[in-house]
Structure formats: C-alpha cells, structure tokens
C-alpha cells in the first residue's frame, strides 16, 4: 500500500485527511487506482512481485537456518550459503569474538583469507565490532583495512561488515561479504538483507549456546551424582581411597592440568593426593590454600602470578607453571574446614563438561571454481595478544596462493572442505568460569560428607582390628605356654593382623651392645644381630621412637647387607620399641613389607605399638614367673641376673629354646657383614648334610654363596656332582620354597633329574644350565627387576633358566631343519630346539617325584606353564633384534615394565632369561674366554658333522677352526649382538653397568687375541677397528638362528 500511494501521488493529489491504515483505505485505493496509467500500474505490479519474492527469500533463509540450528557447524554453513543467495558477492566470512574478546575467523569461503589471522580494532571489521555500526566501503582498499587477507593476494574492491548481536544487544560476531557484483558496490538494499541475516544468525547462535550450556549443565549434574555415588562405594577402603577417587573424578568435571587435595595437619596443610606434590606441605595460614582455610570461601584466580597470596615456591619445586586456580574448602558435619580441593590451569573447551567458550568452533572452506583446495601450512609463530596496530600475516611461500574470484564469476555452490582454526585447537589455559565455582562448591560439600563417613568407618575398622589383636595377645599370654612359644605365637598373629610379610622381635643384649632377633615369622631372620644405633632397628631402640620407612633402599639407616645376606627384598619397614608397663625398654618389634605392595600407615603404627606393649609385659611376666625352659637356662648359669641381662643371655646365644630352628637354607646363606649373625649360626650346617658341600669349611661355603651374586662366579671350576647343590641354593635363596610350598626333597629330585637330561656337549651341557641359572640369580639380587615381577614370575625365571637347553643335541636348530629331522617336522621348522626343551621340561614335571608345582592350584599352574614356555622360546636368537629394539625405545624402567601388566612382566622374564643365556661375555675375562672356547668347539663339531652328511655349513660357523675367523667372529658378536642389547638393559637397570664395562674389556682382549694372528704390517691398522652397528641399514640382515650364545 505505501508503494501504491507513492505511485498515485505522482498522478493526482491524495487527501491528507485519509490514512492508509483506516477502514476506508481499501475504497480509497480502488478510487485512486482508476486514475493510474497502464505504465504506472505495470511498475507497481513489478515492485509488488519483487517485494513478495524478497520476502519469500527471507522466509526461506530463516526456515533453513532454524532447521539446522541444533548443530553449530551446520548452522554456520547455512548462514554462509544463504548469504550468497541474498547478497551477490564473491565471498563471505563469519567472524566471532572469543572469551578474550579476540576477533577470530570462524568460517569463510573466501580463498584469499588467512583463517588463523587475528584482527586489530583498527581494521574495517574491527571498527564494525567496536562501533556496532555497519561498515560499507567500495574502491581501493589497503591491507590494513582488510588484514584478514593474506599478503600478496588481490584485495577485494568492495566490502561490507554487519555486526551480529547476542543477548543484551552486545556484539558477538561480524558477518562480512566481499566483492559485490554491482558496479557501485554494496548498496542499502544489500545492507538491509545482510542485517536481516546477521540478526537471524545472532538469534540462532544465542539459542544454540543456551541449549548447549543447558545440556552441559544437565550432564554435569548427572556426572556429579554418579561421582558422589562412586566415592561412597570406596568409603569402606578408607578416606585416602575416597579422596583419590574424588580427585580423579574432578579431572573429568573441570578439565584442568592439576588437581590436588590438601588436608589439615597441625599448623600445616599436607597434600595427600596429587600428581606431582604428594606429601608436600604448605603453611596453614598463608597462601591461597591458607586463605581458603581461614575464610572458608572459594577462590577463583585467573592469573596466579598476579596474586600476592600465591606461593611460587611450589612451581619451582614441581617444575610447573600455574596460571589459573580454583580452590574450594571441604567441610565436615560441623562446618569446620577439613581440607581444600584445588584445581589448576583450566584448559580450553575440549573437555566433556566445560563451559562453551565463544559461540562455535571454527571451520574453513576453500574452493575455487567449484574445486576443493587443500590448505597451506604456516611455519611461523603468531603472537597471542594484539594490543595495537595491524597484524602482519606471514608470507606463504611453500604453496601457490589462491586468487579471489572476479566479479561476475560464478561463486562456489558447496562447502566440501573444512578446517578448524589453529587458535581454537591450541591447548590454551583459561580462567575457571563461574559455572565451575558452583560445581566445585556442590562437589566439595558432598565430598566432605563422604570423607567424614569414610574416616569414621576407618576408625571403627581399625578399632576392631586393634581389639581383635589385643584379645588374641591376651589370650596367648594367659595360657601356660612357655615364653618363647608365647612370643612366637604373638609374632605369627601380628603378621596376619598388621598384614605384613614378616614380623620379627629383637631383644637387647646389653653385654654385647646389640639387638638380637629371637622370634620371626620367617626363619631367615633368626639369630640376626644388629649393633645398637645401627640400622632401622638399632635407631628405633636408641631413640625410643617409632620409625616408618616407605623406601628403605633410599634411607641411610637401612642395612642393605641384611637383604644381601638373606636374599630378601625389603620394600617397607615399620619398627616400634618394646617396653613393659614399668617403662623398661627391652627390644624392638619390626614389621616388613606391607602386603599387596602397600605402605604402612599411621593406623598400623598405633596397632603395632599396642601389641609391642603386650610383648613387653609378656617378657616381664615370663621372667617373673620363670617358666620351665627359662628357669632351666637361668639355673644353669647359677647366677642371678637383672631380668634384662638374663633375657639377653638366653637369646644372644645359639640356644633354640622352643623356637623353630633356622632352616638349612637360611643358615647357609649367612655372610659375615657389618650386621653380624650369631657366632654359631653358620655351624648349624643342616643344608650341607649328605652333600658334597658338607665337608667344606664354613668360610669357603660363605665365599661361594657371596660370589653367586656376582659376575665372578665360575661354575666351570667345580665338579659336576656339586652343581645340584648350587642350583638348590639359588632356588632356596629366592624364597620360592616357602612361597609355593615346595618340599625340599622334591626340588632336589627335580634338579637332579634335569641335570641328568643334559648331554655331554662342549657348550650346551649342565654347566651351561647352572651358569644361566646363576646369571638370572645375579640379576634378581643386583637389579630392581624383582619390583616389576610377581612371585610366580620369579619361580618361572628360575625353572626356565635351568631347563632352557635341556636335552640339547649339541647342534643348532638350523641343522635339524637341514636334515628334515623328526623334531623339525614336529615343530614346523619354528624354534625347533626351543620347543623341544620346553616339551622335555614339562614331561619331566609330569612325574610326581619331580613335580615341584604339585601344590599350586590349577590357575597358577596354567599361568606358570605359560611363563616358562614363553621364556624358553625367547632364547631363540631370532628374537634378539626385537628385544634390543624394544629396550632401546624405553626411556625409563617404569615406562618399560609394569607389575600390573601381565604382558610387561612376561617381556621382562623373556628378556632376562635371554640375557642370562648370552651372558658369558659379561663375566670376567677368564670365565668369558672359557665359554668362547667351548662354543667355538661345538660349532666346529657341527660343521664337521654337516660336511660328513654332504650339507653346506652355515657361513658364520665355517672355518671357525682358523684363529683369524674365530676371533673376528667373536668381535662381531660382541660389537653387533651383545653391546646394543646389554647397553639398553643397563640403561633401564643401572646395576648392570658393570656388565657393560666388562664386555668392553673382554672385547679388547679378543682384539689382542686376533692381533696375534694378524701380519705385523697390517696389525696397526686393525688394532682400533671395531665392527660398526648400522641403525638403519639399507639391506636388512637376518640374525643367525644359532649365533654363538657366549
């Protein structure tokens, strides 16, 4: 109607008293239209149809955008697409403001735009965002006007930018178009259309963001409820487990780099759960944590280094950079702060439960003439903060730059290529949003309730354990049991209650100024004496204080000599002084190795202290009441002693008064070290009865036992009839007899049967089997490999080492394959001899007389069988290169091996059995040379056998009877096969560095042997020659299947 009225006014005046909005408007229109000419009517009709068409287009755009508004990506693509339909242009760009008010390109189809550029407020698009006004410009443009375009590309001839508004009429983005198809550039009609699309885009994006946030909030609440439920499910395992679960769940909720939980400990805050600050302490009244404790308020710091309360020392200690912090107090039921949960360094919104930052992720569309163009890659770094001036976009010299379409050229019709802006992909640290404050408040409140319940439950459990222990001790002490038996019963009960692997009772010997172990759950510790003030036990007695050590080998007080003498590996220690009701200190109660690889706790300290008091009273009452055995010993001395000295006189001698005598195995393993053993201990000698060792002096036996844990042990020095005793000693000294209840007789029978199965070859004989067994025994004693193995793995290692070459025929698997032997046919030419060795081992174990696994349950037998078979097959040299490569890929032993991972444990077993099999050359030169001579002789014998049968010998075996070839082959073996492997092993297990050094020494000795046969004129040239190991050979060489195992 207004359009028609305008047309009518050109023909005849219209009454000013009439309005087109009145009821008679229709009549007035009919009256006036009669005076219009046909040409005027045609113009009006065309304008009406054009307006209807534009309205229909706008409606279609609105419908299209709203149909796809559940997906940000799709919505932005539709906005770009429909903008092209509404406004004739060569390209469209959608800009969005991020959480730091940086103008970032979200989506574009303009080929000349660099999507990772950040725009300054001095540019045209920046002015549009800053002034909230439409910017329209036509004519020559400078690069600072449109810095979003790459340097060197053709700049657009006309541009128009329209602000996109969100809630509260604030700018959330800009919609820009380039190169109008109209000669005069973009006009007011284009502006009105683009304003409409921008308004529609803003409305749609705000709705999407609101929907997304609501969805995230619902997910957060759901996850929070599940988290609280999971914390409650761990309540029975104690507050520490509950807190650990709280921290792990918080990583999912807050998506940050570090989360820690601090508990109040006196005047300090101790970090009980953290990835890099466990047991760290902070003052309770200082710093951000102290502020939270004092005020009970949540602290949200966007930049920690700008806050004076922040303690920078923690960052220096942990080598970490703290930026944003969110910390909340955890209250108990009385609204008292019991802890603080702290989140550090919020990550940009890539997590599941973070607030959406900005409106959408960014995508890039590149296409020219309907064809997709791959993006270029920039090699330059860009600044994150643009304070002023124009951002200089680096030149892209590596790829041809796409050109913008010319005016009138058909623009793209589909969006086939998309790329996220690198600024959104950067793992930036951002402040914690308000939503996280509400979330951590709810989580901390629920966590406080659960932690209080867990602590209460833990107290009840510990009280129950303590009462149970004391009742049992009182029951024992109220019987007519003799004092030694009584102490033994208390020790056994304490071991179960405290959940320790060993319990020992040490009593004071005032005359000798030492503590003597008189009672132990395991007999290995019987008769052990420790000087006062030495070791953890001696320090505990002298200080009269409880000592708890979680890592004994890093504690200077710990006497490692005891572990070396007994073969035991101590991982944790808890020692408490023993005193009676009158305050007389008489000894020390010591617990070793908390079960399940755990550490002793403060609750364990309280429990052991309570038990130690009853032990002290038991000793005092036993002396006062003078039980039968104690009285006999006292009367035998015919002297009245003060009760402490009298008790020590009984126990410091080698009287085994009612206590289990030390087993033969342990007695034989004592060595004269600073931590002394009772004088008569080594004279018991039960182990050596009816053996070849029984006639040897005790000193000689001790020297042999000590040398077994070194690379100086030469098994070839001894008669073959004594090898069984050596093998038995090594099995017994690793505790497998006790752990798997293996009868001593059955083990001896098994070892003897294995020995008889070995043939009389120069190298692959029973001596080699015992040498390999001793080598793995040395590794178990001198490295930390046992920390990454279970007990069953250690038993598997020992059996595999002893049996790995059982019934060896004296030639390689390659010989069996060449001759089409029954073994090669049986095992399909794959690890022929190794498969046979494994088969022979388990055929032997079928005999009840030799079955050392008889008392294992079915599942353990099955697992042990798998361990042994794999370890024996791993001695096939075809696996050597793979072992060397894998060891070289690991930067730390923790990365390489995990005791919780069965496959990692098997790999460790395989590696060490294989290492022991090829260990001869890491022993002293005299030993290494003996083994080299033997394997060389065996290879020469195989070559002679092959030639008799008309077979072609293996190239590396041929002519080994010639010294030049023999020693050159050995040098190659040392340089190419052994060095990379042993160096990789020593990098993970530093205890083996001595082996690598000895290997280097032996290599030089072989060079000297070779020099004896090199003509003088060329000797100087070859003296320093070494075989080089190529890391990436052009042509792969297969390692021979029967390379010298020396």
């Amino acid at each position: 109607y207004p359009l028609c009225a305008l047309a009518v006014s050109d023909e005849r005046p219209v009454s000013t008293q009439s309005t087109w909005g009145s009821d008679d408007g229709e009549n007035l229109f009919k009256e006036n239209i009669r005076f219009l000419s046909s040409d005027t009517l045609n113009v009006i009709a065309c304008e009406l149809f054009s307006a209807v068409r534009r309205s229909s287009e706008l409606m279609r755009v609105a419908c299209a955008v709203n149909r796809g508004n559940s997906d940000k990506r799709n919505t932005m693509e539709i906005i770009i697409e429909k903008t092209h339909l509404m406004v004739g242009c060569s390209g469209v760009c959608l800009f969005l403001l991020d959480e730091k008010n940086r103008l970032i390109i979200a989506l574009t189809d303009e080929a000349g735009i660099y999507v990772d550029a950040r725009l300054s407020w001095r540019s045209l698009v920046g002015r549009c965002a800053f002034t909230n006004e439409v910017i329209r410009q036509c004519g020559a443009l400078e690069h600072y006007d449109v810095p979003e375009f790459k340097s060197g590309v053709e700049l657009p001839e006309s541009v128009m930018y329209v602000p996109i508004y969100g809630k509260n009429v604030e700018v959330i983005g800009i919609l820009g178009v380039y190169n109008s198809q109209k000669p005069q550039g973009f006009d007011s009609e284009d502006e009105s259309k683009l304003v409409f699309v921008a308004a529609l885009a803003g409305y749609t994006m705000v709705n999407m963001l609101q929907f997304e946030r609501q969805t995230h909030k619902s997910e957060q609440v759901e996850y929070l409820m599940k988290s609280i439920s999971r914390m409650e499910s761990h309540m029975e395992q104690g507050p520490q487990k509950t807190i650990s679960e709280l921290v792990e769940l918080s990583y999912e909720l807050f998506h940050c780099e570090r989360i820690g939980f601090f508990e109040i400990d006196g005047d300090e805050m101790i970090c009980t759960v953290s990835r890099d600050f466990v047991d760290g302490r902070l003052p309770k009244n200082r710093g951000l944590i102290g502020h939270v404790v004092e005020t009970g308020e949540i602290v949200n710091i966007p930049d920690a280094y700008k806050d004076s309360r922040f303690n920078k020392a923690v960052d220096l200690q942990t080598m970490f950079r703290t930026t944003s912090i969110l910390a909340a107090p955890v209250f108990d039921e009385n609204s008292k702060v019991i802890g603080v949960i702290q989140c550090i360094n919020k990550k940009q919104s890539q997590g599941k439960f973070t607030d959406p930052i900005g409106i959408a992720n960014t995508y890039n569309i590149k296409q020219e003439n309907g064809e997709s163009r791959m993006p270029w890659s920039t090699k330059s770094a860009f600044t994150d903060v643009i304070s002023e001036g124009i951002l200089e976009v680096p030149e892209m010299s590596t790829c041809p730059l796409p050109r913008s379409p010319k005016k009138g050229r058909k623009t793209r019709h589909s969006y086939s290529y998309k790329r996220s802006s690198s600024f959104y992909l950067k793992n930036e640290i951002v402040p914690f949003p308000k939503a996280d404050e509400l979330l951590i408040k709810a989580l901390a409140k629920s966590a406080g309730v659960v932690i209080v319940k867990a602590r209460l439950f833990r107290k009840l459990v510990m009280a129950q354990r303590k009462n149970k222990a004391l009742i049992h001790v009182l029951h024992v002490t109220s019987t007519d049991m003799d004092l030694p038996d009584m102490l033994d019963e208390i020790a056994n009960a304490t071991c179960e209650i405290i959940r320790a692997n060993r319990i020992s009772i040490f009593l004071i010997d005032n005359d000798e100024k030492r503590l003597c172990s008189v009672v132990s759950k395991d007999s290995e510790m019987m008769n052990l004496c420790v000087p006062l003030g030495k070791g953890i036990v001696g320090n505990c007695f002298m200080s009269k204080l409880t000592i708890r050590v979680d890592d004994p080998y890093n504690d200077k007080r710990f006497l490692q000599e005891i572990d070396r003498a007994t073969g035991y590996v101590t991982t944790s220690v808890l020692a408490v002084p023993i005193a009676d009701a009158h305050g007389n200190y008489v000894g020390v109660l010591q617990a070793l190795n908390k079960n399940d690889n755990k550490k002793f706790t403060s609750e364990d300290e309280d429990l052991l202290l309570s038990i130690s008091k009853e032990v002290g009273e038991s000793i005092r009452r036993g002396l006062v009441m003078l039980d039968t055995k104690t009285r006999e010993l006292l009367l035998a001395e015919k002297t009245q002693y003060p009760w402490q000295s009298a008790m020590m006189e009984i126990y410091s001698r080698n009287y085994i008064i009612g206590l289990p005598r030390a087993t033969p195995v342990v007695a034989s393993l004592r060595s004269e070290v600073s931590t002394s053993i009772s004088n008569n201990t080594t004279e018991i000698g039960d182990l050596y009865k009816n053996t070849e060792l029984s006639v040897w002096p005790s000193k000689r036996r001790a020297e042999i036992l000590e040398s077994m844990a070194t690379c100086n042990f030469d098994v070839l020095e001894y008669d073959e009839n004594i090898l069984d005793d050596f093998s038995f000693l090594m099995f017994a000294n690793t505790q497998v007899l006790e752990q798997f209840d293996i009868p001593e007789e059955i083990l001896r029978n098994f070892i003897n049967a294995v020995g008889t199965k070995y043939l009389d070859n120069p190298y692959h004989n029973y001596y080699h089997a015992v040498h390999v067994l001793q080598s793995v025994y040395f590794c178990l004693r001198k490295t930390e490999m046992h920390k990454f193995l279970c007990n069953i793995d250690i038993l598997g290692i020992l059996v595999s080492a002893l049996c790995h070459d059982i019934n060896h025929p004296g030639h390689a698997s390659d010989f069996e394959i060449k001759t089409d032997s029954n073994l090669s046919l049986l095992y399909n030419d794959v690890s022929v001899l190794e498969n046979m060795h494994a088969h022979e081992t388990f055929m032997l174990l079928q005999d009840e007389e030799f079955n050392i696994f008889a008392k294992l349950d079915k599942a353990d037998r099955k697992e042990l069988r798998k361990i042994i078979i794999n370890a024996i097959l791993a001695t096939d040299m075809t696996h050597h290169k793979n072992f060397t490569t894998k060891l070289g890929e690991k930067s730390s032993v923790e990365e390489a091996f995990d005791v919780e991972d069965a496959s990692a444990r098997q790999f460790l077993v395989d590696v060490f059995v294989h290492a022991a099999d090829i260990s001869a050359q890491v022993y002293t030169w005299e030993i290494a040379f003996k083994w080299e001579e033997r394997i060389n002789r065996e290879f020469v014998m195989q070559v002679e056998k092959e030639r008799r049968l008309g077979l072609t010998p293996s190239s590396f075996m041929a002519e080994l009877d010639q010294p030049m070839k023999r020693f050159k082959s050995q040098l190659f073996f040392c340089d190419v096969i052994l060095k990379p492997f042993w160096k990789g092993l020593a990098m993970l297990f530093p205890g083996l560095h001595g082996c690598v050094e000895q290997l280097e020494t032996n290599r030089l000795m072989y060079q000297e042997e070779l020099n004896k046969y090199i003509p003088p004129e060329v000797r100087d040239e070859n003296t320093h020659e070494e075989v080089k190991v190529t890391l990436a050979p052009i042509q792969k060489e297969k390692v021979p299947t029967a390379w010298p195992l020396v």
Side-chain angles (χ1 to χ4, degrees), residues 406-512:
K406 295 293 185 180
K407 290 186 294 183
R409 182 179 295 178
K410 185 178 180 180
T411 55
R412 35 170 249 75
H413 295 287
S414 61
Y415 300 85
S416 56
Y417 182 75
K418 304 171 181 63
R419 178 168 65 95
S420 296
S421 172
S422 65
F423 293 111
Y424 274 101
L425 294 177
K426 287 175 66 176
N427 194 18
E428 289 188 315
I429 303 302
V430 297
F432 288 90
K434 291 292 183 181
D436 281 353
E437 293 185 26
L438 299 175
L439 188 62
I440 200 171
K441 182 178 181 180
L443 181 65
K445 183 177 181 180
S446 301
V449 175
V450 176
I451 291 172
V452 169
K453 289 183 179 179
R455 287 178 174 177
L456 179 59
F457 187 87
R458 184 69 176 174
K459 287 181 179 179
L460 294 175
V461 170
M462 293 308 301
Q464 185 180 17
R465 283 179 58 194
K466 182 177 180 179
N467 292 336
K468 181 180 177 181
L470 294 179
I471 289 173
H472 185 83
V473 170
L474 290 173
H475 173 73
V476 171
T477 56
S478 63
T479 63
D480 295 332
M481 194 179 297
D482 292 332
L483 179 59
D485 298 328
M486 186 183 300
L487 295 178
D488 186 45
E489 182 64 26
I490 293 174
N492 289 332
T494 303
C495 197
E496 294 180 8
I497 295 169
I498 210 76
R499 295 185 175 92
N501 185 260
R502 292 188 177 185
I503 291 288
S504 300
I505 297 177
F506 289 81
L507 296 179
I508 181 68
D509 178 359
N510 285 324
D511 294 337
E512 298 294 335

Side-chain angles (χ1 to χ4, degrees), residues 506-517 527-534 537-538 541-542 586-587 648-649 651-654 674-680:
F506 289 81
L507 296 179
I508 181 68
D509 178 359
N510 285 324
D511 294 337
E512 298 294 335
K513 304 300 180 183
R514 61 184 180 178
L515 289 160
C516 301
S517 174
N527 304 312
L528 178 66
C529 296
V530 180
L532 292 180
K534 300 294 184 180
V537 172
F541 183 82
M542 295 299 291
V586 298
M648 289 309 96
E649 183 68 18
Y651 285 103
S652 63
R653 299 169 185 243
N654 193 36
S674 60
T675 303
S676 61
I677 310 299
S678 292
N679 296 332
N680 296 329

Side-chain angles (χ1 to χ4, degrees), residues 827-881:
Y827 297 116
N828 300 316
D829 296 347
V830 178
S831 300
V832 176
L833 293 183
E834 288 76 17
N835 273 296
M836 182 268 290
H837 301 324
H839 170 75
E840 290 287 339
T841 300
F842 283 96
M843 287 300 295
L844 199 62
L845 289 167
Q846 294 294 317
D847 193 324
E848 184 177 344
E849 184 181 0
F850 309 136
N851 188 5
I852 59 176
F853 305 152
K855 295 189 179 182
L856 275 68
D857 58 37
K858 185 176 180 180
D860 286 342
R861 286 200 304 271
K862 184 176 181 181
E863 181 181 358
L864 189 56
R865 172 177 164 81
K866 177 182 176 183
I867 293 170
I868 294 172
I869 291 174
N870 286 335
I872 293 177
L873 294 180
T875 60
D876 188 340
M877 283 298 292
T878 58
H879 303 298
H880 178 84
K881 185 175 182 180

Side-chain angles (χ1 to χ4, degrees), residues 1013-1033:
Y1013 302 94
I1014 297 177
E1017 59 271 15
V1018 296
R1019 184 178 303 169
D1020 292 339
E1021 296 181 16
N1022 296 336
T1023 300
H1024 303 292
E1025 180 182 318
E1026 284 194 16
V1027 179
K1028 303 298 181 183
V1029 181
T1030 304
L1031 297 179

Side-chain angles (χ1 to χ4, degrees), residues 501-502 524-525 550-553 558-573 591-594 597 599-600 733-735 739 777-789 791 794:
N501 185 260
R502 292 188 177 185
E524 285 83 345
M525 299 299 291
D550 294 335
D551 188 2
Y553 281 83
F558 178 65
L559 295 175
Q560 300 183 25
E561 297 93 329
I562 298 177
D563 276 10
R564 287 198 289 268
T566 62
Y568 188 73
V569 178
T570 305
T571 58
S572 56
V573 180
L592 299 180
N593 292 10
K594 183 82 170 178
N597 294 321
K599 305 300 182 184
F600 292 107
N733 207 23
T734 52
Q735 314 303 314
Q739 291 165 351
Y777 175 78
F778 155 73
C779 292
L780 285 168
R781 293 288 297 272
K782 295 302 181 182
T783 72
E784 294 185 344
M785 64 177 288
H786 56 270
K787 293 184 178 181
F788 305 95
L789 296 173
N791 292 333
I794 294 177

